[in-house]
């Protein structure tokens, strides 16, 4: 009897689902994407834009994918039923489309599910649907749009000749955000200011608030959440003093004048529970609380999803299923009845949320942590626990916080003290996102206070902080750059391209990144504009909702804006390249060694190298004399290579590797009886990257990276 074939994306998911189905089912994996746009045609785009139509050509993403397509095709031909069970977002719908095309499927069923559990899988199989052509269109449009921008703009970027590898539609505005902040920090000039306070023997400290004629606003307590911070800090300083003389004057008034309580305010505040995780808020909270990068967070979330422990992890929805809400309320009724609200909390998703599926939550609230700790490693368990706590907190009562403000006065100067005490923990039993108690003593209005100390402290204004990876994801989401599935990959790409680096947990724009952003700002000003990119995302949403034809949008966008922008950028690229500040390594700045050149007597340069043949992570070179020296660890000396070895030692050039920013080395090779030259990375560590430049008409050219 012919078997039924169900195709998912990952082998781990296939293994999990196979256990849920009867023996007449066979579950196989596509291993993610199986096809990509071909590398042919104009600029190797793999598609042509003619009129209002887009003509795409595809190829397997790898030899492994080609082999997998062949095997799946054979299984599909003999199967009584083929079911495509890829993920339920646009990307998953696109994979199902490519499976249909590559396998030549005429009849098939499409199913989706939000969690890899037996009940969810069987329910999905019982209610199949057709392929969603609108979601497919959005997926195809995104792929073409991203390749069009990347393949058209990157070659213009290469004209800088500084090792910049690529750019992209989402990458460019994201890099611009980091570079803008870096330039703000570079231009920032710190200025002094003073804080002035009084300590009372009654047991509290108050800060300068203002004077009778110039009392500052006492501020309000914001209820807005920030998942990029583990805790909301409580504000202590209320009014800055700009000069030391004024600070001394205020201290003298405080010391010479009697103090009296002017006003005491006590009020109960209700802090609402947080919404369950979306992709963005999960990445932000994981970064703040357990120090995971967005990339690591998504890798672990993928594993938890495929293991059937959490729901689908690429989502911008804060909705929860009725079944989960019932299960959470039952759990609270049994374990924490005081925290059970009369009705389940509701949450608003952000504007333009696709809401195709649920928020991220555990599939089984009652699974013991002792069992999970045995099943999961430490990193996986930490993220699972974070998801569990957030989902549970979302279904709890608000936290109740007693807040107090005491305003005192000496002469015509006002002082303010703030305090808070947690009255009812509420959701914070599971998810604490506010500061601890700072209780103020009970005082009455009109009461006199005894001054213990009055003083001031000189401080300096601080530049705006650099973004953490979590904070950058938050900014990307708020500005509409990219979608949940692209946040982590975009940040990862910027790091891999060496456009940004992590310094003390913060993203710092490198000199290369600043040069790339400066060039892109001059040649493609709209491309680095987050509003422009956000508008493109809105159009992709319109396509996904069936309100716009993806081919007409793409051809119109190219005709009305992009083609002209590319031509304009090409015409001024040379001029702009001259004005761009080049990174230090591109101008030949290198660390000097104490070893002197045996030929000219000048200090030699240290050339970094990852070659395992060297006993140190660098060798020495005198560029003017072309002398190279290597460290001899037996003799503990720097020696010139032997003549035989010297012939095989590649010549280090001034050119930069586009992958790791090391220097390229010149080597020779034989072709058709002729000796030719090529450039390779001096580290020789790029096993998965083909970093090779060939000499062509007095220029260096790479089939992967273009002209050097």
């Amino acid at each position: 009897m012919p078997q039924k074939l169900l195709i998912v994306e990952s082998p781990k998911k296939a293994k999990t689902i196979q256990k849920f189905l009867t023996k007449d089912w066979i579950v196989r994996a596509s291993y993610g994407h199986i096809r990509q746009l071909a590398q042919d045609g104009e600029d190797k785009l793999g598609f042509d834009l003619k009129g209002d139509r887009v003509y795409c050509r595809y190829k397997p993403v790898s030899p492994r994918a080609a082999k997998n397509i062949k095997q799946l095709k054979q299984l599909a031909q003999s199967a009584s039923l083929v079911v495509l069970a890829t993920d339920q977002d646009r990307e998953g719908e696109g994979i199902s489309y490519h499976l249909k095309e590559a396998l030549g499927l005429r009849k098939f069923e499409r199913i989706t599910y939000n969690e890899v559990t037996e009940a969810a899988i069987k329910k999905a199989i019982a209610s199949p649907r057709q392929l969603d052509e609108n979601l497919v269109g959005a997926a195809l449009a995104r792929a073409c749009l991203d390749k069009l921008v990347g393949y058209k703009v990157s070659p213009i970027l290469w004209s800088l000749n500084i090792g910049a590898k690529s750019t992209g539609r989402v990458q460019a505005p994201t890099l611009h955000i980091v570079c803008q902040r870096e330039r703000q920090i570079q231009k920032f000039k710190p200025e002094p200011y003073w804080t002035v306070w009084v300590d009372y023997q009654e047991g509290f400290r108050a800060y300068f608030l203002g004077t009778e004629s110039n009392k500052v606003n006492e501020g309000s307590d914001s209820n807005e959440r920030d998942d990029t911070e583990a805790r909301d800090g409580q504000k202590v300083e209320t009014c800055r003093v700009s000069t030391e003389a004024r600070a001394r004057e205020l201290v003298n008034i405080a010391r010479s004048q009697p103090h009296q309580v002017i006003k005491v305010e006590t009020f109960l505040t209700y802090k609402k529970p947080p919404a369950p995780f979306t992709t963005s808020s999960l990445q932000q909270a994981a970064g703040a609380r357990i120090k995971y990068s967005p990339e690591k967070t998504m890798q672990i979330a993928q594993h938890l999803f495929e293991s059937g422990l959490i729901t689908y992890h690429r989502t911008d929805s804060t909705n929860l299923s009725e079944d989960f809400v019932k299960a959470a309320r039952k759990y609270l009724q049994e374990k924490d009845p005081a925290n059970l609200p009369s009705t389940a909390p509701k949450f608003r998703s952000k504007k333009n949320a696709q809401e195709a599926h649920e928020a991220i939550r555990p599939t089984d609230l009652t699974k013991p942590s002792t069992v999970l700790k045995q099943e999961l490693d430490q990193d996986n368990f930490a993220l699972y626990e974070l998801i569990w706590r957030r989902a549970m907190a979302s279904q709890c009562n608000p936290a109740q916080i007693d807040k107090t403000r005491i305003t005192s006065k000496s002469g015509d100067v006002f002082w303010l003290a703030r305090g808070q005490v947690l009255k009812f923990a509420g959701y914070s039993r599971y998810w604490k996102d506010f500061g601890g108690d700072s209780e103020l003593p009970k005082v009455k209005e009109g009461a006199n206070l005894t001054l213990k100390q009055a003083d001031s402290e000189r401080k300096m204004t601080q530049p705006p902080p650099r973004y953490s990876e979590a904070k950058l994801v938050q900014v990307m989401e708020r500005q509409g750059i990219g979608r949940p599935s692209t946040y982590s990959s975009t940040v990862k790409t910027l790091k891999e391209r060496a456009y940004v680096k992590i310094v003390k947990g913060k993203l710092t724009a490198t000199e290369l990144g600043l040069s790339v952003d400066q060039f892109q700002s001059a040649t493609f000003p709209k491309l680095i504009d987050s509003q422009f990119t956000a508008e493109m995302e809105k159009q992709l949403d319109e396509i996904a909702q069936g309100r716009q034809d993806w081919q007409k949008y793409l051809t119109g966008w190219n005709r009305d804006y992009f083609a002209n922008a590319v031509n304009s950028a090409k015409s001024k690229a040379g001029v702009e390249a001259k004005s761009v500040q080049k990174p230090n390594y591109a101008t030949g700045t290198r660390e000097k060694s104490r070893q002197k050149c045996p030929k000219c007597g000048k200090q030699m340069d240290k050339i970094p190298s990852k070659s395992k043949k060297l006993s140190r992570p660098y060798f020495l070179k005198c560029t003017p004399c072309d002398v190279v020296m290597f460290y001899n660890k037996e003799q503990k000396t720097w020696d010139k290579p032997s003549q035989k070895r010297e012939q095989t030692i590649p010549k280090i050039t001034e050119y930069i590797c586009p992958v790791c920013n090391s220097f390229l080395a010149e080597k020779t090779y034989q072709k058709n009886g002729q000796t030719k030259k090529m450039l390779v990375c001096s580290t020789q560590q790029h096993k998965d990257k083909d970093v090779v430049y060939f000499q062509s008409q007095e220029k260096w050219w790479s089939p992967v990276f273009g002209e050097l």
Side-chain angles (χ1 to χ4, degrees):
M1 181 178 177
Q3 288 184 303
K4 303 170 186 175
L5 174 64
L6 187 144
I7 304 176
V8 294
E9 291 181 46
S10 77
K12 181 173 180 60
K13 197 189 299 182
K15 187 177 180 180
T16 303
I17 293 175
Q18 186 74 73
K19 299 175 185 177
F20 304 148
L21 303 178
T22 55
K23 292 182 179 179
D24 59 333
W25 282 93
I26 180 170
V27 186
R28 290 290 183 267
S30 71
Y31 292 88
H33 289 276
I34 60 166
R35 297 200 311 178
Q36 64 183 9
L37 289 163
Q39 297 284 108
D40 62 12
E42 183 183 350
D43 293 317
K44 297 187 178 180
L45 289 173
F47 62 89
D48 299 318
L49 304 176
K50 296 181 179 179
D52 290 334
R53 313 308 298 166
V54 183
Y55 299 90
C56 298
R57 299 174 295 280
Y58 294 98
K59 68 171 186 176
V61 297
S62 65
R64 173 181 168 180
K67 183 179 179 181
N68 195 28
I69 289 172
K70 186 176 180 181
Q71 292 172 344
L72 290 174
K73 196 170 187 177
Q74 291 174 346
L75 289 171
Q77 288 173 347
S78 60
S80 61
L81 173 66
V82 178
V83 178
L84 304 180
T86 54
D87 292 340
Q88 57 181 318
D89 56 7
R90 297 174 190 175
E91 190 174 10
E93 205 73 14
I95 292 173
S96 279
Y97 165 80
H98 285 297
L99 282 167
K100 180 200 80 167
E101 294 292 312
L103 306 185
L105 300 178
R106 293 186 177 180
K107 293 184 179 180
F108 65 93
E109 292 181 352
R110 171 81 170 111
I111 66 168
T112 58
Y113 44 90
N114 197 45
E115 56 189 70
V116 186
T117 58
E118 184 172 359
I121 297 300
K122 289 183 176 179
K123 182 180 179 181
I125 290 174
S127 53
R129 64 166 173 82
Q130 297 297 313
L131 201 64
D132 190 322
E133 296 297 337
N134 295 327
L135 290 181
V136 170
L140 298 180
R142 180 183 293 278
C144 290
L145 200 56
D146 288 347
K147 192 168 185 182
L148 181 64
V149 173
Y151 275 54
K152 289 284 189 180
V153 179
S154 293
I156 301 174
L157 182 62
W158 297 337
S159 65
L160 279 176
N161 196 26
I162 57 172
K165 186 177 177 182
S166 69
T167 188
R169 184 179 63 86
V170 179
Q171 188 179 320
T174 306
L175 174 63
H176 187 62
I177 290 170
V178 180
C179 289
Q180 271 187 315
R181 178 56 53 89
E182 197 65 31
R183 292 187 181 102
Q184 288 172 353
I185 294 170
Q186 290 174 354
K187 293 178 181 178
F188 182 80
K189 293 181 179 180
E191 296 180 354
Y193 70 94
W194 284 258
T195 58
V196 185
W197 71 87
V198 290
D199 286 337
Y200 294 116
Q201 288 188 5
E202 284 75 12
F204 67 98
R205 171 173 288 188
Y207 289 86
F208 171 57
L209 178 63
T211 60
E212 194 80 60
S213 60
N214 186 26
K215 187 177 176 183
V216 300
N217 192 308
E218 296 180 15
S220 60
D221 297 287
S222 173
N223 208 27
E224 186 179 352
R225 252 181 199 90
D226 187 352
D227 282 310
T228 65
E229 302 292 338
R231 298 283 190 276
D232 287 342
Q234 189 178 8
K235 183 178 179 182
V236 290
E237 298 176 12
T238 46
C239 184
R240 293 179 176 183
V241 178
S242 58
T243 67
E244 186 176 10
R246 178 57 174 159
R248 282 199 302 264
E249 181 185 354
L250 292 169
V251 170
N252 290 334
I253 292 173
R255 290 172 177 173
S256 61
Q257 299 290 331
H259 292 253
Q260 186 180 44
V261 177
I262 300 300
K263 183 166 60 173
V264 178
E265 299 170 280
T266 58
F267 48 94
L268 182 65
T269 61
Y270 292 83
K271 193 169 177 68
K272 294 180 180 179
F277 280 136
T278 62
T279 302
S280 172
S281 59
L282 174 63
Q283 291 176 18
Q284 292 168 41
R289 294 179 180 244
I290 51 180
K291 308 306 178 187
Y292 289 176
S293 68
E295 178 189 3
K296 181 176 181 178
T297 300
M298 295 309 287
Q299 287 174 345
I300 294 176
Q302 179 80 33
H303 177 269
L304 294 175
F305 170 63
E306 292 173 354
S307 300
L309 294 173
I310 65 170
T311 52
Y312 191 51
H313 53 292
R314 292 191 179 94
T315 175
D316 53 11
S317 172
T318 55
N319 296 328
L320 290 168
S321 69
E322 289 185 15
D323 289 343
F324 177 80
V325 172
K326 288 178 182 177
R329 293 179 66 79
K330 181 181 178 183
Y331 181 95
L332 290 171
Q333 183 68 59
E334 295 173 356
K335 308 277 187 182
D336 190 9
N339 229 334
L340 179 66
S342 56
T343 58
K346 299 289 184 181
F347 304 95
R348 279 191 311 178
S349 294
K350 69 180 184 68
K351 189 178 179 181
N352 296 325
Q354 295 172 37
E355 297 190 337
H357 20 79
E358 282 187 77
I360 304 169
R361 60 165 177 83
T363 56
D364 183 0
L365 277 174
T366 61
K367 194 161 188 175
S369 59
T370 52
V371 174
L372 283 165
K373 281 185 177 179
Q374 293 178 341
E375 293 179 0
L376 301 172
D377 64 27
Q378 186 175 353
D379 286 353
N380 281 256
F381 181 77
L383 190 67
Y384 176 83
E385 184 181 33
L386 204 70
I387 293 168
W388 189 96
R389 287 184 175 279
R390 181 67 168 243
M392 180 54 67
S394 74
Q395 297 306 298
C396 290
N397 272 317
Q400 298 177 26
I401 305 170
D402 268 328
K403 294 198 174 186
T404 305
R405 291 196 189 106
I406 300 176
T407 306
S408 60
K409 185 181 180 185
S410 58
D412 69 340
V413 179
F414 292 92
W415 310 90
L416 176 67
R418 297 170 182 260
Q420 67 175 35
V421 177
L422 182 64
K423 184 178 180 181
F424 174 68
Y427 75 86
S428 69
R429 284 194 60 184
Y430 307 94
W431 189 265
K432 187 70 178 292
D433 58 357
F434 48 83
D437 289 354
S438 54
E439 188 171 3
L440 293 177
K442 293 187 182 299
V443 295
K444 294 183 178 180
E445 290 184 4
N448 294 324
L449 297 169
T450 305
L451 182 69
K452 181 179 179 181
Q453 181 186 11
D455 210 341
S456 65
E457 182 181 2
R458 182 181 187 270
K459 296 186 177 183
M460 299 296 290
T461 56
Q462 298 295 314
R466 293 185 174 93
Y467 298 110
S468 64
E469 291 182 86
K471 194 70 177 180
L472 181 59
V473 167
Q474 182 191 75
V475 174
M476 291 172 68
E477 180 187 40
R478 288 180 175 177
Q479 295 191 13
I481 302 172
R483 279 293 179 259
S485 61
T486 65
Y487 298 144
S488 63
S489 59
T490 301
V491 177
K492 178 187 175 184
T493 299
L494 292 178
K495 290 191 292 184
E496 288 179 341
R497 299 289 184 265
Y499 296 166
V500 302
K501 62 182 178 181
I502 303 291
V503 178
K504 296 181 180 180
K506 302 289 185 179
L507 287 165
T508 303
T510 63
E511 290 188 66
L512 175 60
L514 289 166
S515 297
V516 169
D517 180 64
Q518 182 185 349
F519 183 74
Q520 289 180 158
S521 299
T523 52
F524 286 94
K526 282 192 174 181
L527 202 61
I528 54 97
D529 183 355
S530 58
Q531 290 186 345
F532 182 73
T533 304
E535 181 57 36
M536 295 166 72
E537 293 294 347
K538 289 179 183 178
Q539 295 304 316
L540 291 172
D541 290 344
E542 292 285 305
I543 293 167
Q545 293 162 10
R547 298 172 184 165
Q548 184 163 195
D549 179 84
W550 77 270
Q551 298 190 57
K552 287 183 179 179
Y553 168 69
L554 185 62
T555 53
W557 183 82
N558 181 66
R559 180 180 59 250
D560 299 337
Y561 160 70
F562 192 60
N564 294 329
V566 169
N567 291 332
S568 174
K570 285 179 178 178
S571 66
K572 60 183 179 181
V575 175
E576 296 298 340
K578 292 178 183 177
S579 65
V580 169
Q581 185 175 353
K582 304 297 191 295
N584 282 339
Y585 62 75
T587 60
T589 300
R590 303 174 184 172
E591 185 180 353
K592 292 290 182 181
S593 165
R594 287 182 292 180
Q595 181 71 28
K596 293 183 178 179
C597 173
K599 227 175 183 183
C600 69
K602 293 182 179 179
Q603 285 180 291
M604 301 185 75
D605 295 322
K606 290 183 179 181
I607 308 299
S609 174
K610 296 180 182 178
S611 174
K612 295 179 181 179
K613 296 178 181 180
L614 301 182
S615 54
R616 290 197 174 181
Y618 60 89
F619 58 91
L620 306 182
K621 182 180 180 182
C622 178
T623 303
C625 301
D626 206 23
V627 172
V628 177
M629 299 184 77
F630 298 88
Y631 189 70
N632 185 328
K633 64 179 179 180
E634 286 81 14
Q635 301 294 326
K636 296 184 179 179
T637 58
W638 287 95
D639 299 331
K640 291 176 64 177
S642 64
Q643 187 173 355
K644 181 179 179 181
R645 184 180 175 186
E646 198 166 21
Q647 293 173 352
T648 63
I649 295 295
K651 177 184 176 183
I652 305 300
T653 71
E654 300 292 331
Y655 295 110
I656 304 300
C657 172
V659 175
C660 71
N661 295 327
S662 299
F663 290 96
L664 294 178
E666 183 181 300
K667 295 180 71 174
T668 59
Y669 66 98
Q670 299 291 322
K671 184 177 181 181
N672 299 328
Q674 293 182 322
T675 301
K676 294 182 176 289
K677 296 179 181 179
M678 65 179 178
L679 298 181
V680 297
C681 180
S682 59
T683 66
Q684 300 181 0
Q685 296 296 306
H686 308 303
K687 295 179 180 179
D688 60 334
K689 304 284 185 182
D690 194 14
V691 184
V692 181
Y693 287 86
F694 300 99
Q695 199 167 33
S696 174
Q697 297 179 353
E698 304 299 324
K699 295 181 180 179
W700 295 104
W701 176 85
S702 166
V704 177
F705 305 110
E707 190 176 303
L708 184 62

